[in-house]
Amino acid sequence: MKLAFGGRIALVTGGTRGIGFQVAQDLAELGATVLITGTDEERAIAVAHTFAGSGHRGFGVDFTDSASTDRFVARLAEEPRIDILVNNAGINRINPVDAVRDEDWTDVQHVNLEAPLKITRAVARLMRAHGYGRIVNLASIFGVISKEKRALYSMSKFGLRGLTVATAHDLARAGVLANTVSPGFVRTDLTDRILSQADQDALAAQVPLGRFASPDEISRVILFLVSDLNTYITAQNIVADGGFINV
């Protein structure tokens, strides 16, 4: 039993950095042809060219802009097939609920919910036509629990779980499996930029395993779910958080 994606075409949104980059890179190394998105098209194209193998492509999409999302979705309709979809792109805006800004609400919902819905709708049509598909939506532990200043983020991630379950039911008879992965604290470049080492150490101390996850640890969960080794798991939310939410 081994992971292999030869002949598969995979789309990973937000694939230029962090978990999305790791997933896209791993899929390519295991034989898939990978399409990634990033807000900077030149960077997305350049990153795609670093992956093992050939045929990988990068696309520039600003998911805060519905028109940009719609243009990308229209391009997807031209693809002959997409076997794997990983909706990874997401943003967070932090404010207490009585200070939530309308513009932040709009941006978070556009990126974290509207874009996954529109992309899933387009890709599902391709998957249904071919009788095969694997979808993973990246949520968060804050789509299972929440904390102060996370109203917008938690609303979007709880909602993304709803999209996953509904998608799984709609597409089950078409041979498509859909699941959510909800990471806890992950060590990425973004984490290092927004949290001091002292802050990271304090959070890690609250995790039973005593540390943050690495992107490749989250990627391995996703790789299994989108592989042919997964034949019966659908409509589930897999929490990968080192035990944090159960403390």
Side-chain angles (χ1 to χ4, degrees):
M1 295 175 65
K2 65 177 183 178
L3 293 170
F5 295 95
R8 298 297 188 196
I9 300 174
L11 168 61
V12 182
T13 66
T16 62
R17 64 182 184 181
I19 295 170
F21 170 79
Q22 186 71 55
V23 172
Q25 182 182 62
D26 290 346
L27 283 167
E29 288 182 356
L30 292 168
T33 299
V34 181
L35 316 180
I36 63 170
T37 71
T39 53
D40 182 328
E41 184 161 58
E42 288 187 6
R43 174 171 167 74
I45 292 170
V47 169
H49 287 167
T50 69
F51 297 152
S54 60
H56 313 301
R57 287 177 285 157
F59 300 88
V61 191
D62 178 3
F63 290 127
T64 65
D65 179 357
S66 293
S68 179
T69 301
D70 289 343
R71 286 193 296 272
F72 175 66
V73 169
R75 294 171 77 174
L76 287 180
E78 301 171 4
E79 296 294 324
R81 195 178 84 247
I82 292 177
D83 304 298
I84 295 164
L85 169 62
V86 180
N87 278 311
N88 165 77
I91 61 172
N92 190 6
R93 301 286 168 80
I94 297 174
N95 264 317
V97 69
D98 53 338
V100 164
R101 302 188 306 171
D102 288 349
E103 56 267 35
D104 289 339
W105 155 260
T106 300
D107 287 347
V108 169
Q109 302 314 305
H110 279 176
V111 177
N112 294 4
L113 279 176
E114 181 185 68
L117 171 61
K118 289 181 174 180
I119 293 169
T120 298
R121 181 175 61 192
V123 170
R125 291 166 180 164
L126 299 174
M127 291 179 172
R128 191 189 290 276
H130 288 89
Y132 178 91
R134 299 287 186 271
I135 298 171
V136 166
N137 292 322
L138 262 290
S140 166
I141 54 171
F142 295 122
V144 180
I145 61 173
S146 197
K147 62 181 296 186
E148 67 275 6
K149 301 182 181 180
R150 297 302 192 280
L152 293 181
Y153 191 66
S154 283
M155 288 172 70
S156 70
K157 294 304 185 180
F158 273 87
L160 191 60
R161 290 174 55 203
L163 171 62
T164 302
V165 174
T167 298
H169 284 278
D170 283 340
L171 301 179
R173 299 299 175 90
V176 179
L177 307 180
N179 293 285
T180 305
V181 171
S182 293
F185 305 114
V186 183
R187 186 173 296 281
T188 64
D189 291 341
L190 179 61
T191 302
D192 289 338
R193 286 201 302 272
I194 65 176
L195 293 177
S196 69
Q197 189 59 54
D199 289 336
Q200 292 183 46
D201 290 344
L203 283 173
Q206 300 174 48
V207 178
L209 288 183
R211 61 179 177 82
F212 283 16
S214 61
D216 66 287
E217 290 179 299
I218 307 303
S219 178
R220 287 197 292 269
V221 177
I222 296 167
L223 291 176
F224 168 74
L225 290 172
V226 300
S227 76
D228 288 340
L229 294 180
N230 176 24
T231 58
Y232 206 63
I233 299 174
T234 196
Q236 302 305 307
N237 179 41
I238 310 301
V239 178
D241 70 342
F244 177 79
I245 67 170
N246 291 312
V247 174

mmCIF file of all heavy atoms in Angstrom, residues 72-109:
data_model
loop_
_atom_site.group_PDB
_atom_site.id
_atom_site.type_symbol
_atom_site.label_atom_id
_atom_site.label_comp_id
_atom_site.label_asym_id
_atom_site.label_seq_id
_atom_site.Cartn_x
_atom_site.Cartn_y
_atom_site.Cartn_z
ATOM 1 N N PHE A 72 -11.657 32.928 -12.825
ATOM 2 C CA PHE A 72 -10.920 31.680 -12.623
ATOM 3 C C PHE A 72 -11.842 30.473 -12.789
ATOM 4 O O PHE A 72 -11.473 29.482 -13.419
ATOM 5 C CB PHE A 72 -10.278 31.666 -11.233
ATOM 6 C CG PHE A 72 -9.601 30.370 -10.903
ATOM 7 C CD1 PHE A 72 -8.487 29.957 -11.606
ATOM 8 C CD2 PHE A 72 -10.085 29.559 -9.884
ATOM 9 C CE1 PHE A 72 -7.859 28.749 -11.316
ATOM 10 C CE2 PHE A 72 -9.470 28.366 -9.580
ATOM 11 C CZ PHE A 72 -8.352 27.946 -10.293
ATOM 12 N N VAL A 73 -13.027 30.555 -12.231
ATOM 13 C CA VAL A 73 -13.983 29.444 -12.354
ATOM 14 C C VAL A 73 -14.333 29.195 -13.822
ATOM 15 O O VAL A 73 -14.472 28.041 -14.254
ATOM 16 C CB VAL A 73 -15.241 29.734 -11.516
ATOM 17 C CG1 VAL A 73 -16.353 28.732 -11.835
ATOM 18 C CG2 VAL A 73 -14.906 29.684 -10.024
ATOM 19 N N ALA A 74 -14.448 30.250 -14.599
ATOM 20 C CA ALA A 74 -14.728 30.091 -16.028
ATOM 21 C C ALA A 74 -13.585 29.354 -16.722
ATOM 22 O O ALA A 74 -13.815 28.535 -17.627
ATOM 23 C CB ALA A 74 -14.953 31.458 -16.670
ATOM 24 N N ARG A 75 -12.358 29.612 -16.285
ATOM 25 C CA ARG A 75 -11.206 28.905 -16.859
ATOM 26 C C ARG A 75 -11.245 27.422 -16.486
ATOM 27 O O ARG A 75 -10.850 26.560 -17.273
ATOM 28 C CB ARG A 75 -9.897 29.539 -16.376
ATOM 29 C CG ARG A 75 -9.685 30.964 -16.884
ATOM 30 C CD ARG A 75 -8.503 31.638 -16.220
ATOM 31 N NE ARG A 75 -7.224 31.180 -16.754
ATOM 32 C CZ ARG A 75 -6.047 31.707 -16.414
ATOM 33 N NH1 ARG A 75 -6.004 32.707 -15.535
ATOM 34 N NH2 ARG A 75 -4.938 31.245 -16.934
ATOM 35 N N LEU A 76 -11.717 27.142 -15.285
ATOM 36 C CA LEU A 76 -11.795 25.743 -14.852
ATOM 37 C C LEU A 76 -12.724 24.933 -15.747
ATOM 38 O O LEU A 76 -12.506 23.735 -15.962
ATOM 39 C CB LEU A 76 -12.303 25.659 -13.411
ATOM 40 C CG LEU A 76 -11.344 26.070 -12.304
ATOM 41 C CD1 LEU A 76 -12.017 25.919 -10.948
ATOM 42 C CD2 LEU A 76 -10.052 25.257 -12.350
ATOM 43 N N ALA A 77 -13.756 25.582 -16.262
ATOM 44 C CA ALA A 77 -14.710 24.884 -17.119
ATOM 45 C C ALA A 77 -14.048 24.371 -18.390
ATOM 46 O O ALA A 77 -14.571 23.471 -19.057
ATOM 47 C CB ALA A 77 -15.880 25.803 -17.459
ATOM 48 N N GLU A 78 -12.886 24.930 -18.734
ATOM 49 C CA GLU A 78 -12.167 24.514 -19.932
ATOM 50 C C GLU A 78 -11.273 23.301 -19.676
ATOM 51 O O GLU A 78 -10.739 22.704 -20.618
ATOM 52 C CB GLU A 78 -11.311 25.674 -20.449
ATOM 53 C CG GLU A 78 -12.109 26.924 -20.792
ATOM 54 C CD GLU A 78 -11.220 28.120 -21.102
ATOM 55 O OE1 GLU A 78 -9.982 27.946 -21.115
ATOM 56 O OE2 GLU A 78 -11.772 29.214 -21.326
ATOM 57 N N GLU A 79 -11.094 22.929 -18.401
ATOM 58 C CA GLU A 79 -10.241 21.787 -18.071
ATOM 59 C C GLU A 79 -10.949 20.482 -18.462
ATOM 60 O O GLU A 79 -12.144 20.325 -18.225
ATOM 61 C CB GLU A 79 -9.911 21.754 -16.579
ATOM 62 C CG GLU A 79 -9.099 22.942 -16.089
ATOM 63 C CD GLU A 79 -7.712 22.976 -16.691
ATOM 64 O OE1 GLU A 79 -7.118 21.898 -16.886
ATOM 65 O OE2 GLU A 79 -7.224 24.099 -16.964
ATOM 66 N N PRO A 80 -10.212 19.543 -19.037
ATOM 67 C CA PRO A 80 -10.843 18.272 -19.413
ATOM 68 C C PRO A 80 -11.213 17.427 -18.200
ATOM 69 O O PRO A 80 -12.182 16.658 -18.251
ATOM 70 C CB PRO A 80 -9.768 17.574 -20.251
ATOM 71 C CG PRO A 80 -8.472 18.169 -19.779
ATOM 72 C CD PRO A 80 -8.795 19.598 -19.449
ATOM 73 N N ARG A 81 -10.451 17.585 -17.113
ATOM 74 C CA ARG A 81 -10.691 16.752 -15.942
ATOM 75 C C ARG A 81 -9.967 17.331 -14.738
ATOM 76 O O ARG A 81 -8.877 17.863 -14.871
ATOM 77 C CB ARG A 81 -10.163 15.342 -16.192
ATOM 78 C CG ARG A 81 -10.644 14.304 -15.215
ATOM 79 C CD ARG A 81 -10.136 12.916 -15.544
ATOM 80 N NE ARG A 81 -8.801 12.691 -15.000
ATOM 81 C CZ ARG A 81 -7.698 12.530 -15.711
ATOM 82 N NH1 ARG A 81 -7.774 12.589 -17.034
ATOM 83 N NH2 ARG A 81 -6.541 12.320 -15.144
ATOM 84 N N ILE A 82 -10.577 17.252 -13.577
ATOM 85 C CA ILE A 82 -9.895 17.516 -12.319
ATOM 86 C C ILE A 82 -10.307 16.399 -11.369
ATOM 87 O O ILE A 82 -11.495 16.191 -11.117
ATOM 88 C CB ILE A 82 -10.241 18.903 -11.739
ATOM 89 C CG1 ILE A 82 -9.670 19.999 -12.629
ATOM 90 C CG2 ILE A 82 -9.696 19.042 -10.303
ATOM 91 C CD1 ILE A 82 -10.003 21.407 -12.188
ATOM 92 N N ASP A 83 -9.333 15.683 -10.869
ATOM 93 C CA ASP A 83 -9.605 14.517 -10.029
ATOM 94 C C ASP A 83 -9.583 14.851 -8.547
ATOM 95 O O ASP A 83 -10.259 14.189 -7.756
ATOM 96 C CB ASP A 83 -8.552 13.434 -10.286
ATOM 97 C CG ASP A 83 -8.471 13.043 -11.747
ATOM 98 O OD1 ASP A 83 -9.476 12.541 -12.275
ATOM 99 O OD2 ASP A 83 -7.392 13.245 -12.361
ATOM 100 N N ILE A 84 -8.785 15.841 -8.184
ATOM 101 C CA ILE A 84 -8.559 16.170 -6.774
ATOM 102 C C ILE A 84 -8.700 17.675 -6.595
ATOM 103 O O ILE A 84 -8.125 18.454 -7.355
ATOM 104 C CB ILE A 84 -7.150 15.731 -6.334
ATOM 105 C CG1 ILE A 84 -7.015 14.206 -6.402
ATOM 106 C CG2 ILE A 84 -6.819 16.247 -4.933
ATOM 107 C CD1 ILE A 84 -5.577 13.725 -6.364
ATOM 108 N N LEU A 85 -9.444 18.074 -5.585
ATOM 109 C CA LEU A 85 -9.579 19.487 -5.245
ATOM 110 C C LEU A 85 -9.244 19.672 -3.777
ATOM 111 O O LEU A 85 -9.821 19.003 -2.909
ATOM 112 C CB LEU A 85 -11.008 19.980 -5.509
ATOM 113 C CG LEU A 85 -11.366 21.359 -4.947
ATOM 114 C CD1 LEU A 85 -10.495 22.456 -5.563
ATOM 115 C CD2 LEU A 85 -12.847 21.662 -5.163
ATOM 116 N N VAL A 86 -8.313 20.578 -3.512
ATOM 117 C CA VAL A 86 -7.995 20.960 -2.136
ATOM 118 C C VAL A 86 -8.256 22.460 -2.008
ATOM 119 O O VAL A 86 -7.484 23.277 -2.519
ATOM 120 C CB VAL A 86 -6.538 20.628 -1.757
ATOM 121 C CG1 VAL A 86 -6.255 21.043 -0.306
ATOM 122 C CG2 VAL A 86 -6.256 19.141 -1.949
ATOM 123 N N ASN A 87 -9.373 22.809 -1.375
ATOM 124 C CA ASN A 87 -9.704 24.214 -1.127
ATOM 125 C C ASN A 87 -8.950 24.655 0.128
ATOM 126 O O ASN A 87 -9.414 24.477 1.248
ATOM 127 C CB ASN A 87 -11.209 24.381 -0.925
ATOM 128 C CG ASN A 87 -11.975 24.466 -2.227
ATOM 129 O OD1 ASN A 87 -11.611 25.227 -3.130
ATOM 130 N ND2 ASN A 87 -13.043 23.693 -2.341
ATOM 131 N N ASN A 88 -7.775 25.227 -0.091
ATOM 132 C CA ASN A 88 -6.895 25.590 1.015
ATOM 133 C C ASN A 88 -6.853 27.091 1.287
ATOM 134 O O ASN A 88 -6.633 27.508 2.423
ATOM 135 C CB ASN A 88 -5.477 25.083 0.712
ATOM 136 C CG ASN A 88 -4.431 25.706 1.610
ATOM 137 O OD1 ASN A 88 -4.281 25.344 2.773
ATOM 138 N ND2 ASN A 88 -3.687 26.675 1.068
ATOM 139 N N ALA A 89 -7.052 27.917 0.269
ATOM 140 C CA ALA A 89 -6.924 29.368 0.440
ATOM 141 C C ALA A 89 -7.873 29.871 1.521
ATOM 142 O O ALA A 89 -9.040 29.489 1.577
ATOM 143 C CB ALA A 89 -7.204 30.082 -0.880
ATOM 144 N N GLY A 90 -7.360 30.740 2.383
ATOM 145 C CA GLY A 90 -8.196 31.296 3.444
ATOM 146 C C GLY A 90 -7.541 32.510 4.066
ATOM 147 O O GLY A 90 -6.321 32.699 3.963
ATOM 148 N N ILE A 91 -8.361 33.351 4.704
ATOM 149 C CA ILE A 91 -7.844 34.525 5.404
ATOM 150 C C ILE A 91 -8.522 34.627 6.763
ATOM 151 O O ILE A 91 -9.553 34.002 7.017
ATOM 152 C CB ILE A 91 -8.071 35.836 4.613
ATOM 153 C CG1 ILE A 91 -9.571 36.082 4.385
ATOM 154 C CG2 ILE A 91 -7.319 35.812 3.292
ATOM 155 C CD1 ILE A 91 -9.872 37.452 3.795
ATOM 156 N N ASN A 92 -7.942 35.439 7.612
ATOM 157 C CA ASN A 92 -8.478 35.651 8.952
ATOM 158 C C ASN A 92 -8.455 37.145 9.254
ATOM 159 O O ASN A 92 -7.508 37.841 8.872
ATOM 160 C CB ASN A 92 -7.634 34.898 9.981
ATOM 161 C CG ASN A 92 -8.266 34.878 11.362
ATOM 162 O OD1 ASN A 92 -9.397 35.340 11.553
ATOM 163 N ND2 ASN A 92 -7.537 34.351 12.330
ATOM 164 N N ARG A 93 -9.481 37.640 9.889
ATOM 165 C CA ARG A 93 -9.529 39.019 10.370
ATOM 166 C C ARG A 93 -9.969 38.970 11.828
ATOM 167 O O ARG A 93 -11.001 38.370 12.140
ATOM 168 C CB ARG A 93 -10.496 39.869 9.541
ATOM 169 C CG ARG A 93 -10.134 39.936 8.056
ATOM 170 C CD ARG A 93 -8.933 40.812 7.776
ATOM 171 N NE ARG A 93 -8.413 40.674 6.429
ATOM 172 C CZ ARG A 93 -8.937 41.264 5.352
ATOM 173 N NH1 ARG A 93 -10.028 42.019 5.471
ATOM 174 N NH2 ARG A 93 -8.396 41.098 4.163
ATOM 175 N N ILE A 94 -9.178 39.556 12.710
ATOM 176 C CA ILE A 94 -9.383 39.409 14.151
ATOM 177 C C ILE A 94 -9.925 40.699 14.749
ATOM 178 O O ILE A 94 -9.278 41.751 14.665
ATOM 179 C CB ILE A 94 -8.056 39.016 14.841
ATOM 180 C CG1 ILE A 94 -7.596 37.649 14.325
ATOM 181 C CG2 ILE A 94 -8.220 38.980 16.352
ATOM 182 C CD1 ILE A 94 -6.245 37.237 14.826
ATOM 183 N N ASN A 95 -11.125 40.585 15.357
ATOM 184 C CA ASN A 95 -11.754 41.692 16.071
ATOM 185 C C ASN A 95 -12.835 41.119 16.983
ATOM 186 O O ASN A 95 -13.458 40.100 16.646
ATOM 187 C CB ASN A 95 -12.409 42.690 15.100
ATOM 188 C CG ASN A 95 -11.507 43.872 14.786
ATOM 189 O OD1 ASN A 95 -10.871 44.429 15.682
ATOM 190 N ND2 ASN A 95 -11.446 44.247 13.523
ATOM 191 N N PRO A 96 -13.090 41.743 18.122
ATOM 192 C CA PRO A 96 -14.231 41.308 18.926
ATOM 193 C C PRO A 96 -15.524 41.545 18.157
ATOM 194 O O PRO A 96 -15.588 42.397 17.266
ATOM 195 C CB PRO A 96 -14.145 42.189 20.181
ATOM 196 C CG PRO A 96 -13.314 43.356 19.791
ATOM 197 C CD PRO A 96 -12.360 42.868 18.746
ATOM 198 N N VAL A 97 -16.552 40.799 18.508
ATOM 199 C CA VAL A 97 -17.768 40.804 17.709
ATOM 200 C C VAL A 97 -18.406 42.190 17.634
ATOM 201 O O VAL A 97 -19.026 42.548 16.618
ATOM 202 C CB VAL A 97 -18.772 39.762 18.261
ATOM 203 C CG1 VAL A 97 -19.317 40.169 19.620
ATOM 204 C CG2 VAL A 97 -19.884 39.499 17.254
ATOM 205 N N ASP A 98 -18.248 43.001 18.684
ATOM 206 C CA ASP A 98 -18.850 44.331 18.643
ATOM 207 C C ASP A 98 -17.991 45.346 17.896
ATOM 208 O O ASP A 98 -18.356 46.524 17.807
ATOM 209 C CB ASP A 98 -19.135 44.839 20.067
ATOM 210 C CG ASP A 98 -17.932 44.790 20.976
ATOM 211 O OD1 ASP A 98 -16.995 44.017 20.700
ATOM 212 O OD2 ASP A 98 -17.917 45.527 21.981
ATOM 213 N N ALA A 99 -16.867 44.870 17.334
ATOM 214 C CA ALA A 99 -16.019 45.758 16.531
ATOM 215 C C ALA A 99 -15.756 45.193 15.137
ATOM 216 O O ALA A 99 -14.879 45.676 14.419
ATOM 217 C CB ALA A 99 -14.688 46.005 17.249
ATOM 218 N N VAL A 100 -16.530 44.170 14.758
ATOM 219 C CA VAL A 100 -16.385 43.585 13.430
ATOM 220 C C VAL A 100 -16.683 44.635 12.367
ATOM 221 O O VAL A 100 -17.679 45.370 12.457
ATOM 222 C CB VAL A 100 -17.336 42.381 13.269
ATOM 223 C CG1 VAL A 100 -17.488 41.997 11.802
ATOM 224 C CG2 VAL A 100 -16.824 41.191 14.071
ATOM 225 N N ARG A 101 -15.824 44.702 11.368
ATOM 226 C CA ARG A 101 -16.000 45.676 10.285
ATOM 227 C C ARG A 101 -16.679 45.011 9.087
ATOM 228 O O ARG A 101 -16.390 43.867 8.753
ATOM 229 C CB ARG A 101 -14.650 46.247 9.864
ATOM 230 C CG ARG A 101 -13.881 46.922 10.994
ATOM 231 C CD ARG A 101 -12.645 47.637 10.484
ATOM 232 N NE ARG A 101 -11.783 46.743 9.705
ATOM 233 C CZ ARG A 101 -10.725 47.168 8.998
ATOM 234 N NH1 ARG A 101 -10.427 48.450 8.970
ATOM 235 N NH2 ARG A 101 -9.986 46.307 8.333
ATOM 236 N N ASP A 102 -17.573 45.756 8.448
ATOM 237 C CA ASP A 102 -18.297 45.209 7.306
ATOM 238 C C ASP A 102 -17.347 44.743 6.208
ATOM 239 O O ASP A 102 -17.572 43.702 5.581
ATOM 240 C CB ASP A 102 -19.261 46.249 6.732
ATOM 241 C CG ASP A 102 -20.461 46.499 7.632
ATOM 242 O OD1 ASP A 102 -20.657 45.712 8.598
ATOM 243 O OD2 ASP A 102 -21.196 47.477 7.392
ATOM 244 N N GLU A 103 -16.286 45.518 5.959
ATOM 245 C CA GLU A 103 -15.366 45.149 4.886
ATOM 246 C C GLU A 103 -14.615 43.853 5.206
ATOM 247 O O GLU A 103 -14.289 43.065 4.307
ATOM 248 C CB GLU A 103 -14.374 46.277 4.594
ATOM 249 C CG GLU A 103 -13.552 46.740 5.782
ATOM 250 C CD GLU A 103 -14.181 47.924 6.508
ATOM 251 O OE1 GLU A 103 -15.423 47.996 6.582
ATOM 252 O OE2 GLU A 103 -13.407 48.778 6.987
ATOM 253 N N ASP A 104 -14.347 43.607 6.497
ATOM 254 C CA ASP A 104 -13.704 42.349 6.879
ATOM 255 C C ASP A 104 -14.652 41.173 6.695
ATOM 256 O O ASP A 104 -14.257 40.099 6.251
ATOM 257 C CB ASP A 104 -13.223 42.402 8.333
ATOM 258 C CG ASP A 104 -12.032 43.328 8.517
ATOM 259 O OD1 ASP A 104 -11.344 43.615 7.511
ATOM 260 O OD2 ASP A 104 -11.777 43.766 9.657
ATOM 261 N N TRP A 105 -15.911 41.379 7.065
ATOM 262 C CA TRP A 105 -16.926 40.353 6.839
ATOM 263 C C TRP A 105 -16.969 39.963 5.366
ATOM 264 O O TRP A 105 -16.959 38.787 5.008
ATOM 265 C CB TRP A 105 -18.301 40.856 7.294
ATOM 266 C CG TRP A 105 -19.475 40.210 6.634
ATOM 267 C CD1 TRP A 105 -20.217 40.703 5.612
ATOM 268 C CD2 TRP A 105 -20.034 38.921 6.939
ATOM 269 N NE1 TRP A 105 -21.222 39.821 5.263
ATOM 270 C CE2 TRP A 105 -21.124 38.716 6.065
ATOM 271 C CE3 TRP A 105 -19.721 37.932 7.859
ATOM 272 C CZ2 TRP A 105 -21.897 37.567 6.084
ATOM 273 C CZ3 TRP A 105 -20.508 36.771 7.886
ATOM 274 C CH2 TRP A 105 -21.579 36.600 7.007
ATOM 275 N N THR A 106 -16.990 40.971 4.499
ATOM 276 C CA THR A 106 -17.066 40.722 3.060
ATOM 277 C C THR A 106 -15.857 39.936 2.576
ATOM 278 O O THR A 106 -15.991 38.935 1.853
ATOM 279 C CB THR A 106 -17.176 42.051 2.294
ATOM 280 O OG1 THR A 106 -18.358 42.733 2.712
ATOM 281 C CG2 THR A 106 -17.239 41.813 0.793
ATOM 282 N N ASP A 107 -14.669 40.353 2.965
ATOM 283 C CA ASP A 107 -13.452 39.678 2.506
ATOM 284 C C ASP A 107 -13.373 38.235 2.995
ATOM 285 O O ASP A 107 -13.059 37.323 2.228
ATOM 286 C CB ASP A 107 -12.204 40.440 2.973
ATOM 287 C CG ASP A 107 -11.977 41.733 2.204
ATOM 288 O OD1 ASP A 107 -12.631 41.935 1.159
ATOM 289 O OD2 ASP A 107 -11.143 42.535 2.649
ATOM 290 N N VAL A 108 -13.648 38.036 4.274
ATOM 291 C CA VAL A 108 -13.553 36.680 4.839
ATOM 292 C C VAL A 108 -14.553 35.740 4.179
ATOM 293 O O VAL A 108 -14.222 34.601 3.826
ATOM 294 C CB VAL A 108 -13.748 36.707 6.370
ATOM 295 C CG1 VAL A 108 -13.914 35.290 6.920
ATOM 296 C CG2 VAL A 108 -12.560 37.389 7.049
ATOM 297 N N GLN A 109 -15.765 36.187 3.982
ATOM 298 C CA GLN A 109 -16.764 35.322 3.365
ATOM 299 C C GLN A 109 -16.454 35.051 1.895
ATOM 300 O O GLN A 109 -16.669 33.937 1.400
ATOM 301 C CB GLN A 109 -18.167 35.925 3.514
ATOM 302 C CG GLN A 109 -18.592 36.174 4.948
ATOM 303 C CD GLN A 109 -18.294 35.003 5.873
ATOM 304 O OE1 GLN A 109 -18.705 33.873 5.616
ATOM 305 N NE2 GLN A 109 -17.599 35.261 6.969
#
